[in-house]
Amino acid sequence: MAEVLVLVEHADGEIKKVTNELLTLARTLGEPSAVLLGGSVASLAEKLGEYGAQKVYVAESADLDDYLVAPKAEVLAQIVADTSPTAVLVASSAEGKEVAARAALRSGSGLITDAVGVSSDGETTQGIFGGAIAVQAKVTKGIPFITVRPNSTAAEPASGAAEVVTVTPNISDAAKGAKVTERVVEAKGGRPDLAEAAVVVSGGRGLGGAEHFDLIEKLADSLDAAVGASRAATDAGWYPHQNQVGQTGKTVSPQLYIAVGISGAIQHRAGMQTSKTIVAINKDPEAPIFELADFGMVGDLFDVVPQLTDEITKRK
Amino acid sequence: MPMNIVVCVKQVPDTWAERTLNASDKTLDRAKVDTVMNEIDEYAVEEAIRLKEAHGGEVTIVTMGPDRALDTIRKALSMGADKAVLLSDEALHGSCVMQTSDALAKVIGTLEYDLVICGSEATDSRLSVMAPLLAERLGLPQLSLARKVTVEPGSSVTIERQTENGYTVVTSALPAVVSVVEKINEPRYPSFKGIMAAKSKPTTTLTAADAGLEGELGLAGATSQVDEFTPRPPRSGGEIVKNEGDGGTKVADFLVSQKLI
Ligand SMILES: Cc1cc2nc3c(=O)[nH]c(=O)nc-3n(C[C@H](O)[C@H](O)[C@H](O)COP(=O)(O)OP(=O)(O)OC[C@H]3O[C@@H](n4cnc5c(N)ncnc54)[C@H](O)[C@@H]3O)c2cc1C
């Protein structure tokens, strides 16, 4: 069977959940091989077999961490040239898309981003305009490079050989232009990644101030959820931009999305309307968010949310 | 030392409008909707003008699109950019991101610049890869997703790159390609004076041939194609309940009924 490459997404010595999803998806397209790039990553190789990777191409170099994106793209393109896979799957994260784009260009190939499904003939499914339209597309030149959204497939374990193939990375001087000098962590740890989370609780202008976001955080923590925010809330500086959901923020598609004090403007809906179940809490019965909601609670969030958090904690 | 800056700007359908694709060739339907400057590009234009105000130099807008994209160019010029190049050719209709990056890189290649600035993504296609592709094609450092940009004119540029949980500091020599996220600054509104001044600022319009583009252009040469599209059915209305003092309990009941807790 033909080889399908999956670029491994990892952070702080851990493989991201989306990689297991991609390996699961790759098994429906061919024989999955993982591509593991970084300064010191070889110890992660074994784990990739647990989701069906037959081979793991491991390329280690400090340059892969020390310079932005370009070295990873070069090495991915190098492995693609050596293996001629039928497809290359990459996580649709900010960096994943950038690496995929540059590697596709180097390979003379086309790129499709943000797929939520890939069929065995390489046809992808994507939602565009905030999920308003579903599109079937394919790459028509070279090897399909496809970035896939987290939560598109459920990761299912399968045994794979995970045979390690060590690759000597050839990184040009030109790829060492943008030097990473510092990595700063600002977010409070412990909460799941917004893009990957099964449950997202988002707060909007209705909260009235940064100090009230702890209501959202407490509700989120009772559900092991990630915290999102509307642009009104991030513009006001109540919550970081990284957490913005919508047209110019993140697109999320969790099992459960709870919108608190958010009106449901078209640009906010663009980031969350493909969520499986939507709950809205808003004091205005006319708020457009209720058009999307599977369950809507018309009421003051300052009454409803603390009670909800208590109830969830009690019933768990 | 003055800084010459190229800003890549795209005209897109207004996000407030109902957006769709053409039934015939499955490309973006630009005819039926109002178009505006891609909102995130306003931040790119603003950042370029601020750098120019601090260090001197010229800001050049580069746009690929139909002739009506001149509206978007005019807006950038009224904000304070100095001149513009519009690459406009029927033959480019339906270009994929690979072709578009090639076209923009060829136009940028004819200009003198220290920095190229893009918005981090366009609200219509949302690929978020133009800065990386331009960096790859121009052989320049990529400093993308900047929430802060600092330059040492004639020497280097440093950004804070927004990440999932904070930021990364990235630095390179000039020239370089930067993309900015929407929280980097507050774009100015064009002043009356700016709007008047824009009328006499030079805009060059290039055809594909002028830009040195050859081979299969547009839809015929695209590296990806849309085969089908279907509007997603609207969500059917759910249950809406008024809070009678037990609102939180009611929401929890719903979550239990859906096996979500
Ligand atoms: C190009 C472009 C891109 C954009 N991108 C995004 C994006 O990515 N994400 C995004 O979210 N927006 C985006 N927007 C902005 C969008 O148009 C809206 O302005 C924004 O979503 C509004 O945020 P909000 O719902 O929190 O605020 P509002 O619209 O002001 O709504 C606040 C809601 O809170 C309710 N409320 C107030 N007090 C209470 C209370 N005590 N209890 C319960 N409910 C209460 C009100 O009834 C109201 O419905 C974008 C806009 C443009 C033009």
Side-chain angles (χ1 to χ4, degrees):
Chain A
M1 253 214 294
E3 214 171 346
V4 176
L5 297 187
V6 171
L7 180 64
V8 177
E9 182 122 325
H10 58 88
D12 307 320
E14 298 220 17
I15 294 165
K16 293 257 190 142
K17 189 177 104 193
V18 64
T19 298
N20 300 335
E21 296 168 6
L22 262 52
L23 287 168
T24 306
L25 177 62
R27 302 205 298 264
T28 66
L29 309 176
E31 199 155 273
S33 294
V35 175
L36 189 50
L37 309 178
S40 166
V41 288
S43 61
L44 298 175
E46 209 182 316
K47 284 250 177 286
L48 296 160
E50 293 169 16
Y51 285 85
Q54 297 299 325
K55 283 187 192 161
V56 183
Y57 297 99
V58 180
E60 289 189 309
S61 161
D63 293 339
L64 291 162
D65 290 340
D66 293 350
Y67 298 93
L68 200 65
V69 175
K72 291 198 180 105
E74 279 196 355
V75 179
L76 178 59
Q78 178 193 339
I79 295 170
V80 167
D82 288 347
T83 54
S84 304
T86 45
V88 182
L89 304 184
V90 179
S92 240
S93 59
E95 184 176 291
K97 288 207 230 183
E98 296 185 337
V99 173
R102 295 186 68 146
L105 180 55
R106 294 184 78 87
S107 309
S109 297
L111 168 76
I112 285 178
T113 64
D114 298 294
V116 294
V118 185
S119 64
S120 54
D121 58 358
E123 191 89 4
T124 63
T125 307
Q126 294 159 277
I128 60 166
F129 305 143
I133 294 179
V135 161
Q136 251 75 49
K138 63 171 166 300
V139 168
T140 49
K141 294 253 156 72
I143 293 162
F145 279 70
I146 302 168
T147 78
V148 182
R149 286 236 174 104
N151 285 342
S152 299
T153 322
E156 281 162 31
S159 56
E163 177 205 334
V164 171
V165 181
T166 306
V167 176
T168 310
N170 295 322
I171 299 168
S172 69
D173 284 342
K176 293 186 248 181
K179 187 161 175 49
V180 174
T181 56
E182 200 185 347
R183 287 173 212 276
V184 181
V185 174
E186 293 175 314
K188 294 170 233 159
R191 291 205 183 88
D193 232 35
L194 189 52
E196 294 198 340
V199 181
V200 174
V201 180
S202 290
R205 198 191 321 259
L207 282 157
E211 67 279 15
H212 299 308
F213 252 86
D214 72 328
L215 282 177
I216 299 296
E217 293 188 333
K218 282 188 189 131
L219 176 55
D221 291 343
S222 75
L223 290 160
D224 294 320
V227 175
S230 73
R231 178 151 122 181
T234 63
D235 271 353
W238 300 347
Y239 223 69
H241 182 218
Q242 283 92 328
N243 297 67
Q244 182 175 313
V245 171
Q247 176 71 62
T248 51
K250 296 264 157 57
T251 301
V252 299
S253 203
Q255 293 298 323
L256 172 62
Y257 187 87
I258 305 183
V260 180
I262 292 178
S263 63
I266 190 167
Q267 296 92 352
H268 187 78
R269 294 154 75 138
M272 46 65 76
Q273 63 187 351
T274 59
S275 304
K276 312 291 173 302
T277 302
I278 297 172
V279 171
I281 301 168
N282 194 306
K283 67 177 182 191
D284 173 10
E286 303 295 320
I289 191 75
F290 287 127
E291 293 161 20
L292 295 187
D294 298 288
F295 190 82
M297 177 51 63
V298 181
D300 192 316
L301 69 92
F302 294 99
D303 298 334
V304 176
V305 172
Q307 192 179 62
L308 174 59
T309 308
D310 281 352
E311 283 294 323
I312 292 169
T313 315
K314 258 193 257 166
R315 298 187 197 194
K316 265 211 302 198
Chain B
M1 233 174 120
M3 292 271 300
N4 291 323
I5 304 173
V6 171
V7 187
C8 297
V9 167
K10 186 180 186 186
Q11 190 178 52
V12 298
D14 195 338
T15 54
W16 289 106
E18 180 114 5
R19 295 169 290 175
T20 186
L21 303 179
N22 287 310
S24 54
D25 66 358
K26 305 183 182 75
T27 60
L28 178 64
D29 189 338
R30 296 173 201 261
K32 287 203 202 78
V33 291
D34 285 341
T35 49
V36 293
M37 184 192 305
N38 174 44
E39 217 227 4
I40 307 176
D41 295 344
E42 291 184 23
Y43 299 79
V45 173
E46 177 66 32
E47 197 62 21
I49 296 170
R50 288 186 189 192
L51 288 170
K52 171 184 106 160
E53 285 166 352
H55 305 289
E58 264 194 337
V59 175
T60 307
I61 303 299
V62 172
T63 294
M64 170 172 142
D67 288 344
R68 86 193 256 218
L70 281 169
D71 293 343
T72 283
I73 284 182
R74 207 164 300 127
K75 173 156 187 190
L77 295 176
S78 7
M79 285 172 74
D82 298 286
K83 55 189 172 66
V85 183
L86 171 64
L87 175 59
S88 174
D89 199 316
E90 231 348 90
L92 298 171
H93 171 80
S95 296
C96 70
V97 66
M98 295 296 174
Q99 295 168 300
T100 305
S101 65
D102 181 35
L104 291 176
K106 290 222 163 78
V107 173
I108 294 168
T110 65
L111 303 169
E112 269 185 40
Y113 61 91
D114 304 284
L115 203 59
V116 177
I117 308 184
C118 307
S120 61
E121 71 179 67
T123 54
D124 54 354
S125 49
R126 298 206 67 184
L127 272 74
S128 220
V129 298
M130 190 50 79
L133 289 175
L134 290 177
E136 181 74 38
R137 291 198 185 270
L138 297 166
L140 296 178
Q142 165 195 333
L143 293 92
S144 48
L145 306 178
R147 62 176 210 184
K148 186 173 174 207
V149 177
T150 326
V151 293
E152 287 294 335
S155 144
S156 66
V157 50
T158 301
I159 66 157
E160 284 182 15
R161 170 180 166 90
Q162 181 172 291
T163 59
E164 290 306 317
N165 56 10
Y167 64 96
T168 304
V169 181
V170 190
T171 186
S172 84
L174 293 171
V177 180
V178 167
S179 80
V180 301
V181 300
E182 63 177 358
K183 292 295 181 283
I184 191 167
N185 56 40
E186 197 52 61
R188 68 194 68 191
Y189 288 102
S191 64
F192 179 69
K193 212 172 124 214
I195 292 168
M196 295 314 286
K199 294 190 170 144
S200 56
K201 289 178 178 173
T203 297
T204 315
T205 302
L206 303 179
T207 63
D210 294 338
L213 296 169
E214 40 197 47
E216 272 190 310
L217 301 178
L219 204 52
T223 63
S224 56
Q225 85 185 26
V226 173
D227 295 319
E228 264 176 70
F229 69 95
T230 27
R232 219 177 271 274
R235 292 181 84 103
S236 47
E239 194 186 342
I240 311 293
V241 178
K242 205 168 166 300
N243 180 27
E244 313 271 1
D246 58 351
T249 311
K250 287 259 174 62
V251 177
D253 289 344
F254 171 78
L255 296 179
V256 170
S257 75
Q258 300 296 306
K259 303 196 167 55
L260 288 163
I261 45 176

